Amino acid sequence: MQTKTIYILAIESSCDDTSAAVLCNDEVLSNVVATQKIHKEYGGVVPELASRAHQQNIVPVVHQALAKANIDKKQLSAIAFTRGPGLMGSLLVGTSFAKSLALGLNIPLIEVNHMQAHLLAHFIADKDNTKPTFPFIGLTISGGHTQIVLVKDYFKMEVLGQTLDDAVGEAFDKSAKLLGLPYPGGPLIDKHAAEGNPKKYEFPIPKVGELDFSFSGLKTSILYFIKKEVEKDPNFISNNLEDICASIQYTIIKILVLKLKNAVKKTGIKQIAIGGGVSANSGIRKVLKDKEKTNQWITYIPKFEYCTDNAAMIGIVGYLKYQEALFSKQDITAKARYTF
Ligand code: KG4
Ligand code: ZN
């Protein structure tokens, strides 16, 4: 039996990346991401500026995705879009665009939960990567989210734990800001940490539920620590930047590993699938792979372009939903808070 070829145009606009992708079944033909640079000078994402930039980016980004894929919009089988969670103004741009285009082309519309998409990105066709099998534990770590999810099937997911305050990426970025590093500081902490002693300074591990996270206390303890040290030595940060970064990174990784150990213990599942931009962190990657060597668990990390916010991950969910005819109606609205 010959199966139908499905072309999905996917749109992601939940935060500060405007992205469009075209998939042919589970294969990515194009994945265009316009990262909004404007937020850099403000030290974080400014919601109003993000939605304005999405408005400017969306048409060229979609055009580019179709052109790169060499697909005419008349060939499309469906439009998938991020319904939430995210910034309302940002989500509205992608949602309205997707609804109008699906209506104009008279093809199905498919709504996608951004958090599910981070985890289902593992099912994008990639000859270099093996896919997790169900059930597995999903860990989503980015500037906007920190969640541990039990993934029983494509659309059967249960949040086991999540952050009670800041996301792990925010913990990196806010710590970096305290050290005078530019936004986003996560990659810079990673870079300096490589040269430092991770055990030089000790920061506290938060006491929250065994699968929950909290990073605001860490930020406060770093703030007071730096204040105290700078009073004694005004050049404390520049003289010890590598060791400070290494110690901060070590603490964050220690928290993540502790929670993963708890999740493995609680569920008996030994497959961990990672998503989100913080998975780029070299220290985290190393620790996760080291755990494989000692048979504690197997770690799956998709290609980096599918880890950060991107439309290809929305497209794979679109493809999976298309097969189940899980289509949305035209009266669907964006959802800033969208749990599953
Ligand atoms: O997934 P992402 O691109 O966007 C969302 O936040 O949704 O993640 C961006 C986050 C930022 O907080 C950034 O500092 C962090 O990922 N990040 C890193 C590294 N690369 C990106 N954090 C630590 N180490 C890195 N190498
Ligand atoms: Zn995300």
Side-chain angles (χ1 to χ4, degrees):
M1 192 183 79
Q2 188 135 28
T3 49
K4 192 182 156 199
T5 303
I6 296 161
Y7 290 107
I8 305 277
L9 170 69
I11 290 159
E12 154 66 32
S13 71
S14 64
C15 189
D16 61 338
D17 294 303
T18 319
S19 181
V22 177
L23 273 76
C24 173
N25 299 335
D26 61 349
E27 227 171 279
V28 177
L29 302 183
S30 63
N31 183 33
V32 178
V33 184
T35 302
Q36 304 175 0
K37 304 248 172 3
I38 183 129
H39 307 288
K40 206 171 175 146
E41 59 196 89
Y42 297 93
V45 177
V46 184
E48 174 68 18
L49 296 179
S51 33
R52 288 175 192 221
H54 283 304
Q55 295 249 52
Q56 288 187 328
N57 292 343
I58 191 117
V59 170
V61 163
V62 167
H63 267 301
Q64 222 179 315
L66 288 166
K68 267 197 175 173
N70 202 17
I71 292 291
D72 187 89
K73 54 185 182 306
K74 292 199 181 75
Q75 291 172 266
L76 295 172
S77 316
I79 314 270
F81 71 98
T82 305
R83 184 184 183 195
L87 302 170
M88 186 44 112
S90 293
L91 290 166
L92 275 174
V93 178
T95 304
S96 312
F97 187 91
K99 282 168 71 170
S100 322
L101 192 56
L103 186 68
L105 295 171
N106 196 24
I107 54 174
L109 178 68
I110 301 171
E111 60 99 8
V112 175
N113 179 300
H114 179 92
M115 299 308 296
Q116 283 192 335
H118 268 303
L119 297 169
L120 296 177
H122 289 268
F123 296 97
I124 292 172
D126 182 355
K127 58 179 176 9
D128 301 325
N129 264 339
T130 45
K131 296 173 183 162
T133 53
F134 299 116
F136 62 85
I137 294 167
L139 174 73
T140 336
I141 42 176
S142 77
H145 4 269
T146 307
Q147 273 189 341
I148 293 189
V149 180
L150 172 59
V151 186
K152 297 176 207 162
D153 207 332
Y154 293 124
F155 303 112
K156 273 197 207 134
M157 301 189 188
E158 189 189 326
V159 177
L160 298 179
Q162 57 194 325
T163 184
L164 306 176
D165 40 60
D166 290 347
V168 63
E170 277 179 291
F172 271 107
D173 297 340
K174 288 181 178 175
S175 308
K177 200 171 175 180
L178 294 174
L179 300 174
L181 299 171
Y183 174 85
L188 295 167
I189 293 216
D190 191 1
K191 191 179 126 209
H192 294 296
E195 312 289 323
N197 172 5
K199 296 199 178 154
K200 178 87 176 273
Y201 308 109
E202 204 174 323
F203 299 109
I205 301 290
K207 290 187 177 55
V208 285
E210 61 175 359
L211 296 178
D212 285 327
F213 300 85
S214 167
F215 291 104
S216 63
L218 176 65
K219 185 189 63 191
T220 312
S221 71
I222 294 169
L223 172 71
Y224 285 120
F225 164 76
I226 288 172
K227 239 178 153 177
K228 194 178 89 208
E229 295 298 329
V230 169
E231 269 171 25
K232 288 187 267 174
D233 169 13
N235 297 321
F236 174 75
I237 294 176
S238 53
N239 287 342
N240 299 282
L241 188 60
E242 283 77 15
D243 290 340
I244 306 170
C245 288
S247 302
I248 292 171
Q249 184 166 301
Y250 177 79
T251 311
I252 293 175
I253 294 175
K254 203 166 156 185
I255 296 168
L256 291 177
V257 169
L258 174 73
K259 301 299 168 170
L260 285 177
K261 274 189 185 162
N262 290 345
V264 169
K265 200 168 152 197
K266 190 172 174 164
T267 60
I269 297 166
K270 288 184 151 197
Q271 292 187 93
I272 313 258
I274 315 288
V278 179
S279 59
N281 185 271
S282 56
I284 291 174
R285 283 179 173 247
K286 184 174 178 313
V287 169
L288 292 175
K289 286 290 168 193
D290 283 351
K291 297 286 167 202
E292 279 189 6
K293 290 181 200 145
T294 51
N295 288 326
Q296 297 194 37
W297 60 62
I298 300 170
T299 309
Y300 299 88
I301 307 178
K303 241 191 219 155
F304 187 58
E305 63 170 308
Y306 305 141
C307 276
T308 52
D309 285 353
N310 69 93
M313 70 180 193
I314 306 302
I316 190 68
V317 184
Y319 169 67
L320 294 167
K321 283 196 166 180
Y322 189 97
Q323 290 174 313
E324 307 282 324
L326 293 170
F327 302 138
S328 314
K329 297 208 181 93
Q330 270 291 331
D331 62 359
I332 194 154
T333 51
K335 241 177 150 176
R337 285 180 174 270
Y338 188 10
T339 46
F340 53 86

